Amino acid sequence: MSGPNTDYDPVEVTPLKAAEVEAVRDAALVAIEAAGSLDELRQVRLDHAGDRSPLALANREIGALPPQARKEAGQRVGQARGAVAKALAARQVVLEEEHEARILVDEAVDVTLPWDRIPTGARHPVTMLSERIADVFVAMGWEVAEGPLVEAEWLNFDALNLGPDHPARTMQDTFWMEPVENAIVLRTHTSPVQARTMLTREPPIYIVCPGRVFRTDEYDATHSPVFHQVEGLVVDEGITMAHLKGSLDHFATSMFGEGITTRFRPSYFPFTEPSAEVDLACFVCRGVDSEHCRTCKGEGWIEWGGCGVVNPRVLVACGVDPDRYTGFAFGMGIDRTLMFRHGVADLRDVFEGDVRFTAAFGTEI
Amino acid sequence: MRAPVSWIREYVDLPEEVSSEKLAARLTALGLKLEALEQAGGDITGPLVLGRVLSFDDEPQKNGKTIRWCQVDVGDANGTGDPQGIVCGASNFAVDDLVVVVLPGGVLPGGFEISARKTYGHVSSGMICSARELGLGEDHDGIMVLSADAGAPGDDAFDALHLRDEVIELEINPDRAYALSLRGIARDAALGFGVPFTDPAARELPEPNGSGHPVEVEAPDGCPVFVTRTVTGFDAAAPTPDWIARRVQQAGMRPISLAVDVTNYVMLELGQPIHGYDGDKLSGPIRVRRATEGERLTTLDGVTRTLSAEDVLITDDTGPIGLAGVMGGQTTELSSTSSHIVIEAAHFDPVSIFRTQRRHKLPSEASKRFERGVDPTLPEAAADRVADLLVAHGGGTVSDGVTKVGSAPAARSVRMPLDLPARVTGMDISAETTVAHLRAVGGEVEVEGEHLTAVVPPWRPDIADPFDLVEEVARVVGYDDIPSVLPTAPAGKGLTNEQRLRRRVGRTLAGAGFVEVISFPFVGVGAFDALGLDEHDDRRTAMRIANALSAEQPFMTTTLLPGLLDTAARNAGRGQIDVALFETAAVTLPRGTTPAPILPVDRRPTEGEWDDLQKALPEQPLHLAVVLAGERERSGWWGAGRRAGWGDAIQAVREVASALGVEITVRSSSRAPWHPGRCAEVLVGDVLLGHAGELHPRVCKAFGLPERSAAAEVDLDVLMRHATPVVAPSLSSFPVAKEDVALVVAADLPAVAVADALREGAGELLESVRLFDVYTGAQIGEGKKSLAFALRFRAPDRTLTEEEITAAREAAVAAAVRRHDAVQRT
């Protein structure tokens, strides 16, 4: 760096002459405009705005001027440098845009190429439907109860008012574990979970029990020895069939949409009295032009499950005071619900584990 | 139960405007569910008339058949009154016989259109019909020949044949045994429409006098009532009247002979099963007793049955002649020559019949009714009705003797608070309505203060409790009137921890590319063999199902692998080679062989009883299993994929454990069905969770899986039990120092042991250690391998100095050197 110059007339300092500054500035602006690439611009920047550029060198001389001359020279050089910097920045933007546009074009790929390097997983629709059903009831404050698949005969039958000679026992073709006299079965319904719940906690009871059950049915498009049920049980003071209807209507609406409710028909189950079959209003045709409806097959209603008021005999066997409490229970097939809700034509698809079937349902149902 | 509508109407004064559809809907609303509404001949259209055969010529044909060229009088039905020329292939008729003719333009079942057509050298203008062609039965031995009084030529045959008679098929629940009869169905129809009911069982009856066929009942508990009547001089060859045959057939039974048809008819009419004996084949009195164990009886179906001491048996001096209430015996069976008929109308104990029927696998129309409960006051009326019908249509005389042993039990009463129906149903049901409806159902009702006492009608053995009366009231009021009210549950706690964790496991694995499957839990020895389990393997100890569907799979599985491997193989067979599957399900592990007690039902079990019951059940831990076959990462235009292997199976377990916040350790192991050198056992602390790794090549082959398929199975219950909530890490924002070290160790030393040593030696400044390379080769030397680890050091409160970093790295290496004779590569 130069020291203060005291030897010569500052007005005579060549680099700071107005004409000289303008010439240098103009040369820079021309060079900037002429730069055709970011690399060229980088060189132009070094040449015309770098530490060794004429304007930078001229700027250094300002300090050597007598104070009275500094202001004017400083303004002159400063304006020139500002113009150059501005032009550089502008040119930089233009060239970057040009560069990016070109690179993006050069880097174009065939976006239709597959990228399925890692296969997608899926959860089983029965699992997901069970969870979805559970969530409807959990949202009402109910809890989810579960129990073993291999169950005591007493819990599967006797405690539920299905005595050893009850004709209804033949309605449920039961798998018996050996030796048969040990009185152990594969549960034929999830109702033993209801009995277990009543036996192990005090009312009020509001539970839903989804789970796997077994019957000695031959395996075909609509029957399976293994299938899934969801049952609900409420035991509380003042419970009526109206509460049963309200709960099932809410369940139906939650699963199948506004306006879809249920219909009751008298029926028979040993564990409930009075008992009813539950029909679901067809959520596809909604009863309009149902003769062409493939879901309800012209009925306008879909058979959904069974329900009723818990038989006081069941309450007694399960240690609940039948004079103080009443209850209701209901049950429906999860696989069956899956079939009509999602158009599954063959029940075997549910159990054969073909990944094409399960993958179609993804991770939420 | 199939009920012809015209038969129902015989006992109920139903208004004309009540259609069969309406009737069926009302019965359904009352609990007798409509299964089908059928109309015989409903699909026949066009001219179907009676015709009289005037003449015919038998004309042999070249094809060996003989046809009849008939002239048939069809009255004015053909528009001309001239005889109709019709070719007929049957020969079971004679001149003057009344037959059924479909004229050109008619359509028979199956869309079979009739037109005048040239055949066998004649123009055949119509067809003479067989029962099968009209959809009236299977009889195709010849055409239908009607009785002479069935009508006149030209009459509409629909009426004569009772075509378009409607039959309602109802599903009868076990509690409504009364509806297994026209009497019961009509009673509910009357109830449903509030119209009078005429009881077909209400008859003038002769007093029992003990002089009918003698009866001795030695087992009154099994047979409370036994009535016999006798018909003699009966013409066994007399035909069954059309109306009886038709109704029996419409109700779904096959007409056989007059005597049999009449007993069936009365059973359908009243619900009382009847048995008829050939009186000439009976020797001595009828005795009702329990069988002796091992006694034998050949039933009507020709099967010789070995009896149990619990079976109620009908005997005479020759020994057993019938299985009471279930099926008669061969020796006293009615035949085509029986002219002496002894009629049995009895009441049997439902439980006894149920057991006998089940024991001998012999469900019959009779046992179906007895086991559900027949009106015990019926036998006299039913026997009388049978005797009347036999004599009316088969001649002979009804003997004066009426034997009746025993009597119907006294009627029961049920007491109920008057407001119970309203309280239970939530419907607005007044006391008056309750009383009126219960009376309409059929019982006497007395009101006393806030309670009523209802006498249970004898045909309703199902009514025993107040709640049974509630159902009777509710079904008459109508379930459609039940309001919809959402109950208010107390605030719930949501899902249990375990339920939430299970969902997390499923989502974790689905997120990792696994597809969930549900397998049947049945397994056989073949699967254990295919897994290569040795004979002492505890997984071979499985619970056997007594009545398994498949003899090959009689056990409840102890491992999820057979089902999962089969499913993978099934997918491979369908072209999906590359699969990653998982299943979570309980397995069944037997413990002990104590029976599960059958506890009383009139009280809560005691704690001891409850414990005994729990202990009798097998353990049923929830397992998680995965299987991977083919490529884990696919090959594609990007290059080669990656075959699934042992590491993927172990990693699946690691990911699940990590999702649950469980720290697991993995160590080398050897267990079927895994490859002995590529099997890991997974532990939480000292507790074994399960195993993972590559499947043994023989196992892959046995299950038809691609080579080097991998699998894992762990006890998910144990894993979930160790789940911990996440504690947020404290993050240091000071710079990280990355140091790589390569250590040469013995080739068989587990990498995790070296990592552990490094971790321990490095101290608190170590943030993580990660193995990034394994190298073996000549440079390293025989029996050695080089493991390269990336160590990251960071302090929570400062930037580490070079000295600190070096010291920490050297301490880490020193620990590995000390513990495992590791040599640092430089």
Side-chain angles (χ1 to χ4, degrees), chain A residues 188-201:
Chain A
T188 58
H189 43 195
T190 45
S191 313
V193 181
Q194 299 187 18
R196 284 173 172 274
T197 306
M198 287 187 271
L199 282 163
T200 49
R201 51 198 258 196

Side-chain angles (χ1 to χ4, degrees), chain B residues 313-535:
Chain B
L313 201 57
I314 314 291
T315 67
D316 68 0
D317 288 349
T318 65
I321 57 169
L323 206 45
V326 177
M327 195 175 273
Q330 253 182 352
T331 56
T332 56
E333 189 182 356
L334 288 174
S335 72
S336 54
T337 57
S338 307
S339 63
H340 175 192
I341 298 173
V342 174
I343 302 157
E344 164 203 310
H347 187 72
F348 296 109
D349 171 49
V351 170
S352 177
I353 299 295
F354 174 69
R355 290 185 182 167
T356 295
Q357 172 267 110
R358 274 230 296 201
R359 187 177 302 119
H360 299 288
K361 299 192 174 59
L362 197 54
S364 65
E365 290 289 335
S367 69
K368 184 165 87 185
R369 288 172 174 80
F370 279 128
E371 73 186 19
R372 286 166 171 78
V374 173
D375 181 345
T377 64
L378 273 179
E380 278 176 87
D384 192 61
R385 174 79 165 137
V386 171
D388 261 11
L389 286 172
L390 288 178
V391 171
H393 302 286
T397 50
V398 183
S399 307
D400 292 337
V402 180
T403 296
K404 182 182 180 192
V405 177
S407 58
R412 268 179 304 142
S413 294
V414 177
R415 194 173 131 89
M416 170 183 91
L418 274 170
D419 65 345
L420 192 66
R423 269 196 283 138
V424 169
T425 63
M427 288 191 279
D428 192 10
I429 301 173
S430 70
E432 292 71 34
T433 304
T434 295
V435 171
H437 286 349
L438 286 179
R439 286 191 175 133
V441 163
E444 303 277 315
V445 179
E446 266 185 48
V447 178
E448 202 187 305
E450 295 302 301
H451 285 76
L452 65 76
T453 303
V455 178
V456 177
W459 60 89
R460 294 300 304 270
D462 60 296
I463 296 179
D465 294 338
F467 276 54
D468 298 329
L469 295 180
V470 170
E471 181 173 271
E472 290 306 303
V473 174
R475 74 182 181 113
V476 181
V477 172
Y479 280 15
D480 285 347
D481 287 353
I482 298 170
S484 187
V485 179
L486 210 51
T488 313
K493 297 192 190 76
L495 297 176
T496 63
N497 196 39
E498 196 212 297
Q499 286 160 354
R500 276 182 285 114
L501 292 177
R502 236 184 297 147
R503 290 185 178 193
R504 201 189 294 176
V505 169
R507 286 180 187 142
T508 300
L509 286 167
F514 288 81
V515 174
E516 186 178 14
V517 305
I518 294 175
S519 308
F520 288 179
F522 309 132
V523 74
V525 172
F528 295 144
D529 293 343
L531 289 178
L533 308 187
D534 69 43
E535 56 179 318

Side-chain angles (χ1 to χ4, degrees), chain B residues 183-213:
Chain B
R183 179 193 191 218
I185 292 169
R187 193 191 299 278
D188 266 8
L191 178 67
F193 290 95
V195 294
F197 165 70
T198 311
D199 188 350
R203 309 171 57 82
E204 285 282 330
L205 294 172
E207 278 299 309
N209 49 31
S211 57
H213 191 90

